[in-house]
Amino acid sequence: MTNSDIAAVFEQLADILEYKGDNAFRIRAYRGAARTISGLVESLVSIRNDPQRSLRNLDGIGADLASKIETLLDTGRLPLLDELTAEVPAVVWEMLRVPGLGPRKVKLLVETLAIDSLDALELACQEGRVAALKGFGEKTQQSILDNLPFARNPIHSRLLWLEADGILQELLVWIRSCPEARRVEGAGSWRRGCETVGDLDVVVESQRPAAVMEHLVAWQGTAAVLLQGDTKTSVRGPRNVQIDLRVVAEESFGAALQYFTGSQEHNVRLRTRARELGLSINEYGVYRLEPAAEAVPRSARGASLGGQTEEEVYRAVGLPWIPPELREGRDELVLAGQGLIPPLVKLDDIRGDLHMHTSATDGENTLVEMVRAALERGLKYIAITDHSQRVSMARGLDASRLLRQWEDIDTLNQSLCADGPAGIVVLKGIEVDMLEKGGLDLPDEVLRQADWVVASLHYGQQQPRDRITARILEAIANPWVRVIGHPTGRLINRRPPYDVDIEAVIAAAAGNGTCLEINANPSRLDLNEHHAAAAGKAGVRMVISTDAHDTSGLDLLRCGVLQARRAGLSAANIANTLPLAELLACKRG
Ligand code: DGT
Ligand code: CA
Ligand code: CA
Ligand code: ZN
């Protein structure tokens, strides 16, 4: 089992226990464990096998969870989950995919209305039976109806990029351990850094394809073999994901990697360009197009003009290498042809993280622990941005608690520079809520004392477009607000964005010098690539922040960087690539 499988098991346990009305503390522990595990870069197997380390040293993993992880690693199953699953009707899992329906609401629907399918749920809504339930009402009923197509759409069951990455990294380590494998690379939508990934594609260079394919079949993550050919094998892997492996010879590796990285649309355009130059590109290489080439067997078509590396393939059609994140068949070939592909922002360019939570609100780690973790990761500055009071579920801060936190931050900054220059500067920040009725959750006299204000919209997400847009525009115009957090509120696979006029938001942000966030959480990635690209063109600076709720959450920056790269953004588009003094000079209150 991979990290991603195990995280999914703990999420399921938490859902099912919540459904059954179990102890809130226990539920929280499972969710925390799932979060820690999905944020781990290293595999649980290697941590367990390292005699110097212990699973119990991971954040939020005690003796009980450690032993459950071991059971999962050893047997691939967890008896507790099997038992609990048997006690709950299967429709529960389907219903949990409807945005806005949590375990408690699902339970009420199942037990009082005897809902046994999404169709039955739809009918119950249409007949008004859902609205009549305690705690539901007309609004919730309508929102369930609106959200049913979302839950039914298979696109919302694709793996998040980070989940796919967890599985793929373990797979790559395994394939690279095969003595017959030479170059081994992941391709497809994973390599392009897409928000979600359908199946995993791996390209391998080898002179003995059969040995490499046998090696994949022998992987501990392989659950079933779907197809086995001479140079291609497909298996079902962890989390039911399909894995497509292609094995090619040295002279074709670059051509195959290019082909299987896609996207399909990018490849179609690249081949069209090749044809116009009298060339043909396929997964084996680049060839000169002969008249009636189809009639000639491939082996007789003459030597390949390139294919050992991707660079050779692009060079053959007069182009520089194009970063995979841009290969979506938009304008990348035109830009590349004019030498106008921008240098994309890199993880190393990011100097600070400007959105994170501590145990003062709904974070898992203390201020000091977060700062230490940020220092270990080489960040030069961070902003502590806990929730404001409106977010009562997270024990949001009122003015007096916030001012006390800021005193702690002052003291901490002083101690950080007690013996020489500080390695990191901690900014006094807040994630202030945009209230349903308009306005912000803390007065300007408080906000003006902050170093960094993130304004976010968490409540009233069902309001009509003009209301939502007006609330955000008001926050953008506030002189103390530096950045709008997760500007559309979507949660990938779980909740559509709220209805907002994003063009108006971008124009206002540009006009006020307010930044927009690219929230790096793999479920948010908000702004998305299209909006981020538009914001960049409009001259808006973006901030890539993790919104970390624990120390391991700080590792998510790379997901936000990938999203920014897909939007074609450079370091100059991203505010937190700036040195601190320049960052703070960006928008003056
Ligand atoms: P996914 O798996 O749905 O997240 O998306 P991809 O892009 O990984 O798609 P996939 O796995 O079907 O194929 C990987 C790449 O291989 C794809 O981006 C382009 C190339 N490819 C696969 N099948 C075809 C095809 O039938 N025609 C063309 N032109 N390209 C293909
Ligand atoms: Ca794929
Ligand atoms: Ca595939
Ligand atoms: Zn936050």
Side-chain angles (χ1 to χ4, degrees):
M1 283 204 131
T2 62
N3 290 5
S4 152
D5 287 305
I6 293 176
V9 166
F10 287 148
E11 277 294 349
Q12 280 179 330
L13 264 181
D15 281 343
I16 216 163
L17 289 172
E18 201 173 335
Y19 180 88
K20 294 173 71 75
D22 204 272
N23 172 312
F25 182 78
R26 196 165 162 220
I27 294 165
R28 220 170 100 99
Y30 286 127
R31 293 214 195 279
R35 209 155 60 191
T36 298
I37 293 166
S38 42
L40 283 180
V41 180
E42 220 179 333
S43 84
L44 288 166
V45 181
S46 60
I47 296 176
R48 183 201 191 183
N49 291 343
D50 185 341
Q52 313 286 331
R53 325 234 334 244
S54 160
L55 292 170
R56 291 173 61 175
N57 290 340
L58 296 171
D59 280 344
I61 310 284
D64 173 59
L65 284 165
S67 96
K68 288 196 168 62
I69 293 173
E70 292 185 341
T71 307
L72 283 163
L73 289 176
D74 289 337
T75 67
R77 303 215 65 86
L78 192 62
L80 175 64
L81 180 62
D82 293 344
E83 260 167 54
L84 290 170
T85 303
E87 295 171 19
V88 164
V91 69
V92 168
W93 301 113
E94 279 178 65
M95 288 169 73
L96 281 172
R97 304 196 20 186
V98 179
L101 283 187
R104 284 156 219 266
K105 281 205 164 77
V106 170
K107 183 182 173 115
L108 211 61
L109 289 166
V110 170
E111 292 185 350
T112 54
L113 298 181
I115 303 292
D116 59 2
S117 67
L118 291 185
D119 291 344
L121 177 61
E122 183 167 28
L123 190 66
C125 288
Q126 285 161 347
E127 293 176 352
R129 283 180 284 135
V130 170
L133 284 181
K134 188 170 176 286
F136 280 75
E138 289 289 343
K139 262 192 177 167
T140 309
Q141 177 171 281
Q142 190 55 46
S143 118
I144 293 174
L145 273 177
D146 293 344
N147 283 324
L148 270 171
F150 185 95
R152 286 186 172 124
N153 188 340
I155 200 160
H156 297 127
S157 58
R158 292 162 56 94
L159 290 177
L160 298 180
W161 183 86
L162 189 70
E163 295 173 325
D165 183 61
I167 297 170
L168 187 81
Q169 295 301 343
E170 291 190 30
L171 175 64
L172 292 179
V173 167
W174 174 253
I175 301 284
R176 285 181 179 134
S177 74
C178 173
E180 298 295 337
R182 297 182 60 187
R183 283 178 287 177
V184 179
E185 298 293 342
S189 52
W190 168 81
R191 184 162 179 245
R192 303 199 309 280
C194 295
E195 292 170 353
T196 63
V197 171
D199 68 21
L200 299 178
D201 303 282
V202 178
V203 180
V204 179
E205 176 199 330
S206 172
Q207 294 175 326
R208 290 197 50 222
V212 177
M213 294 189 299
E214 276 313 314
H215 198 75
L216 170 64
V217 171
W219 185 39
Q220 58 123 2
T222 297
V225 178
L226 303 173
L227 177 155
Q228 207 162 2
D230 293 338
T231 60
K232 167 176 173 166
T233 294
S234 294
V235 303
R236 192 155 296 293
R239 305 278 311 273
N240 258 338
V241 74
Q242 180 169 330
I243 297 165
D244 291 337
L245 175 81
R246 273 95 176 179
V247 190
V248 298
E250 181 179 13
E251 66 271 19
S252 293
F253 183 79
L257 182 60
Q258 194 289 319
Y259 181 87
F260 292 112
T261 295
S263 65
Q264 195 158 325
E265 190 55 35
H266 174 85
N267 288 354
V268 166
R269 292 184 186 206
L270 190 70
R271 274 174 287 171
T272 305
R273 184 184 169 98
R275 231 174 355 261
E276 286 163 7
L277 295 169
L279 301 171
S280 120
I281 296 182
N282 60 31
E283 60 267 52
Y284 299 100
V286 184
Y287 301 87
R288 203 166 300 290
L289 209 55
E290 309 287 350
E294 292 76 38
V296 187
R298 192 174 61 81
S299 53
R301 271 190 221 170
S304 161
L305 303 172
Q308 196 162 347
T309 64
E310 282 195 330
E311 282 80 357
E312 283 180 13
V313 175
Y314 286 101
R315 203 183 306 132
V317 291
L319 295 176
W321 181 82
I322 299 175
E325 296 92 333
L326 296 179
R327 299 185 196 170
E328 292 298 340
R330 296 174 191 146
D331 56 358
E332 70 272 12
L333 292 186
V334 176
L335 290 179
Q338 299 169 338
L340 293 178
I341 297 274
L344 302 181
V345 61
K346 303 182 303 298
L347 185 57
D348 278 354
D349 295 330
I350 307 292
R351 293 180 197 243
D353 189 341
L354 296 167
H355 185 168
M356 68 186 68
H357 298 266
T358 73
S359 49
T361 62
D362 60 349
E364 300 289 331
N365 291 100
T366 63
L367 169 64
V368 171
E369 287 166 344
M370 291 305 284
V371 172
R372 194 182 304 131
L375 196 56
E376 280 167 10
R377 285 160 178 78
L379 296 174
K380 297 291 178 235
Y381 51 82
I382 58 171
I384 300 295
T385 58
D386 270 314
H387 289 292
S388 62
Q389 55 201 356
R390 173 65 184 87
V391 190
S392 47
M393 279 197 340
R395 296 182 301 118
L397 303 177
D398 58 19
S400 75
R401 281 176 67 210
L402 179 60
L403 292 173
R404 247 178 292 145
Q405 185 187 54
W406 287 352
E407 283 171 21
D408 291 344
I409 293 178
D410 281 334
T411 311
L412 188 59
N413 276 324
Q414 279 159 17
S415 73
L416 281 167
C417 59
D419 5 271
I424 190 166
V425 175
V426 186
L427 301 178
K428 293 179 280 189
I430 180 74
E431 179 177 15
V432 66
D433 248 61
M434 304 175 200
L435 299 174
E436 289 100 310
K437 60 181 194 302
L440 296 174
D441 193 20
L442 286 165
D444 280 5
E445 301 89 82
V446 174
L447 298 181
R448 66 185 306 219
Q449 299 173 57
D451 300 315
W452 193 259
V453 177
V454 181
S456 301
L457 192 152
H458 293 109
Y459 294 92
Q461 298 197 14
Q462 307 296 328
Q463 287 178 351
R465 184 181 180 89
D466 54 341
R467 275 304 308 145
I468 300 244
T469 306
R471 287 163 70 190
I472 297 178
L473 295 188
E474 190 186 1
I476 288 173
N478 181 297
W480 315 111
V481 170
R482 298 283 193 154
V483 57
I484 303 300
H486 39 75
T488 76
R490 62 101 174 244
L491 292 174
I492 298 171
N493 290 347
R494 284 187 280 150
R495 187 174 76 200
Y498 37 70
D499 194 5
V500 55
D501 181 350
I502 197 76
E503 278 176 87
V505 167
I506 289 171
N512 286 275
T514 306
C515 298
L516 297 177
E517 184 174 76
I518 296 179
N519 190 293
N521 186 298
S523 294
R524 289 195 181 270
L525 298 175
D526 180 9
L527 298 177
N528 71 24
E529 68 202 87
H530 308 284
H531 295 155
K537 289 204 175 77
V540 174
R541 277 233 176 83
M542 273 150 282
V543 171
I544 303 174
S545 289
T546 61
D547 200 355
H549 282 68
D550 56 32
T551 52
S552 66
L554 297 172
D555 292 324
L556 300 174
L557 259 183
R558 63 193 183 112
C559 301
V561 169
L562 211 45
Q563 184 79 333
R565 291 171 64 85
R566 286 179 59 74
L569 301 178
S570 306
N573 299 112
I574 309 297
N576 50 329
T577 60
L578 293 170
L580 182 57
E582 286 175 45
L583 172 81
L584 294 179
C586 270
K587 176 178 180 179
R588 282 186 308 119

